């Protein structure tokens, strides 16, 4: 009998660690999300991120906590908000956009940063290269070898008489110089000339558009956190100055802008979920290659075209993923 009791006790001792392990609650990962604009403007991307995380078994309240910090278009607040996330001891930070990624990287070189769409992170000094980022930043790139060239081509096809293109861009964006060189080559390839329309703050938008009115036939609005946080104002100024514009994001067109061609931002946020999962499983951000976007969309707003008194060519309309009538 004593032998049986001893054997049972020994078995219980051996099983105890496994029982205790099974009773341990699942780890609650804390994910910081740094956003340049408001909760309302970011809502579609937030939904994409949640879906991407859910695809790998992560759900709010179950095994993750999402801590958002919103700059509400005030980009000067990004460093402060990034530092606040670092102080909150989050396990990982998700960002969208180059300026936001730079702010997060300046705040921490140790907490993993997952980019859900950004410009040239190599030029910004955040990664060594796409295949081997090398630091604490990785994720989904927003740039693709053909996207700017396609945007210029669509602009020319939609508005064949365009000879002078005004490029609305922010000189303080880390990708400013490289972006201008790229677009200048594409604009010249289509027989047009390029005029810069620099904007460093929201206060400069009105004067910049008024100046462009006399210098260009159409506008090409570059990707930038400052510009994407001023969607309504930019669309209104383009209409007021009767300037047809090609945008990089669908929300400009949905707000009344003429055309947009670019990556599907919701898809970029969804795909960031894979990087989060890999890092939580033990992978180092610096060893996870950045990937290029795969989903692009062309939107055309015929209401805006009518207001501007222009006709969009059937070839462009036929390629559109969405036409607003």
């Amino acid at each position: 009998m004593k032998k049986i009791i001893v054997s049972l006790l020994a078995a219980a001792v051996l099983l105890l660690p496994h029982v205790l392990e099974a009773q341990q609650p699942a780890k609650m990962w804390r994910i910081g999300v740094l956003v340049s604009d408001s909760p309302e403007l970011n809502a579609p991307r937030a939904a994409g991120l949640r879906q991407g995380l859910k695809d790998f078994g992560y759900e709010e309240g179950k095994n993750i906590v999402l801590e958002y910090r919103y700059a509400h278009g005030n980009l000067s607040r990004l460093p402060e908000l990034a530092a606040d996330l670092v102080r909150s001891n989050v396990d990982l930070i998700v960002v969208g956009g180059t300026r936001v990624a730079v702010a997060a990287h300046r705040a921490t070189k140790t907490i993993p940063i997952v980019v859900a769409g950004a410009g040239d992170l190599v030029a910004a000094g955040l990664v060594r290269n796409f295949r081997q980022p090398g630091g604490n930043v990785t994720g989904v790139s927003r740039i693709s070898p053909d996207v700017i060239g396609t945007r210029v081509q669509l602009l020319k096809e939609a508005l064949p008489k365009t000879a002078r293109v005004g490029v609305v861009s922010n000189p303080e964006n880390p990708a400013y110089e490289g972006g201008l060189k790229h677009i200048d080559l594409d604009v010249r390839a289509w027989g047009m000339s390029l005029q810069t329309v620099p904007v460093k703050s929201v206060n400069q938008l009105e004067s910049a558009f008024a100046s462009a009115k006399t210098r260009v036939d159409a506008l090409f609005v570059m990707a930038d956190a400052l510009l994407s946080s001023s969607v309504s104002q930019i669309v209104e100024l383009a209409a007021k100055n009767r300037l047809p514009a090609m945008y990089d994001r669908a929300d400009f067109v949905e707000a009344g802008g003429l055309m947009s061609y670019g990556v599907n931002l919701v898809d970029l946020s969804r795909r960031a979920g894979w990087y989060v999962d890999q890092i939580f499983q033990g992978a180092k951000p610096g060893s996870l290659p950045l990937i290029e976007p795969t989903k692009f969309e062309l939107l055309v707003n015929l209401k805006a075209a009518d207001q501007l008194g222009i006709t969009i060519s059937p070839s462009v309309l036929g390629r559109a993923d969405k036409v607003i009538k």
Side-chain angles (χ1 to χ4, degrees), residues 164-168 194-199 203-219 237-238 240-243:
R164 301 168 300 168
V165 178
V167 180
V168 182
L194 179 147
Q195 298 284 328
T196 58
V197 185
V199 177
N203 295 333
Q204 295 178 354
L205 282 170
E206 189 161 359
S207 60
F209 274 72
S211 172
K213 181 179 181 179
T214 60
R215 297 189 292 125
V216 304
D217 306 310
L219 293 176
L237 286 170
K240 175 183 175 181
N241 291 283
R242 302 192 64 76
L243 285 167

Side-chain angles (χ1 to χ4, degrees), residues 53-308:
L53 292 168
K54 188 175 181 180
D55 290 343
F56 291 94
Y58 301 97
E59 296 184 51
E60 290 180 86
K62 178 182 176 182
N63 50 10
I64 59 168
V65 174
L66 293 175
E67 296 196 17
Y68 279 85
R69 297 293 186 274
Y70 297 97
H72 292 274
N74 184 356
L75 303 186
S76 64
R77 293 197 62 214
L78 287 173
E80 164 201 341
L81 296 173
D84 186 48
L85 283 175
V86 173
R87 287 192 297 269
S88 298
N89 293 317
V90 293
D91 297 296
L92 179 147
I93 300 175
V94 176
V95 301
T98 309
R99 294 281 293 278
V100 187
V102 168
H105 187 249
R106 287 176 178 170
T108 178
K109 301 296 188 295
T110 56
I111 297 174
I113 298 171
V114 172
V115 177
D120 192 342
L121 297 179
V122 177
L126 303 189
V127 301
R128 187 168 55 219
N129 57 58
F130 270 41
R131 291 181 62 83
Q132 289 289 330
N136 66 322
V137 180
T138 188
V140 190
S141 173
R142 189 175 172 176
I143 61 175
S144 173
D146 300 325
V147 68
I148 290 182
T150 303
R151 202 177 290 156
V152 172
Q153 177 184 348
L154 287 167
L155 177 64
K156 183 63 174 179
E157 288 183 7
L159 306 168
K161 295 182 179 179
T162 300
R164 301 168 300 168
V165 178
V167 180
V168 182
S169 53
N170 182 358
E172 295 182 350
N173 189 306
Y176 175 75
E177 293 292 341
L180 279 186
K181 289 178 182 178
H182 191 166
I183 191 174
D184 185 45
L185 291 173
D186 289 314
V187 165
R188 291 179 184 277
W190 284 93
M192 301 179 290
S193 64
L194 179 147
Q195 298 284 328
T196 58
V197 185
V199 177
K200 292 184 178 180
S201 71
V202 174
N203 295 333
Q204 295 178 354
L205 282 170
E206 189 161 359
S207 60
F209 274 72
S211 172
K213 181 179 181 179
T214 60
R215 297 189 292 125
V216 304
D217 306 310
L219 293 176
F220 189 102
V221 180
M222 295 288 282
D224 180 77
L226 170 68
L227 302 176
S228 63
S229 65
S230 308
V231 172
S232 297
Q233 186 177 358
I234 288 174
V235 167
E236 289 171 5
L237 286 170
K240 175 183 175 181
N241 291 283
R242 302 192 64 76
L243 285 167
M246 165 63 82
Y247 302 96
D248 72 304
R249 294 170 47 142
D251 47 356
F252 282 97
V253 180
E254 290 166 348
L258 180 63
M259 297 173 58
S260 70
Y261 178 78
V263 297
N264 185 308
L265 297 178
V266 174
D267 183 62
L268 297 186
S269 295
R270 180 189 63 79
R271 296 176 74 190
W274 180 84
Y275 284 92
V276 174
D277 178 57
Q278 291 294 300
I279 292 169
F280 284 171
Q281 289 192 53
K284 300 296 183 183
S287 65
L288 294 174
L290 281 88
I291 54 176
E292 294 180 355
T294 57
K295 287 189 177 182
F296 302 86
E297 54 187 3
L298 168 63
L299 274 73
V300 178
N301 190 325
L302 291 182
K303 289 182 180 179
D306 289 340
Q307 292 172 354
L308 291 167

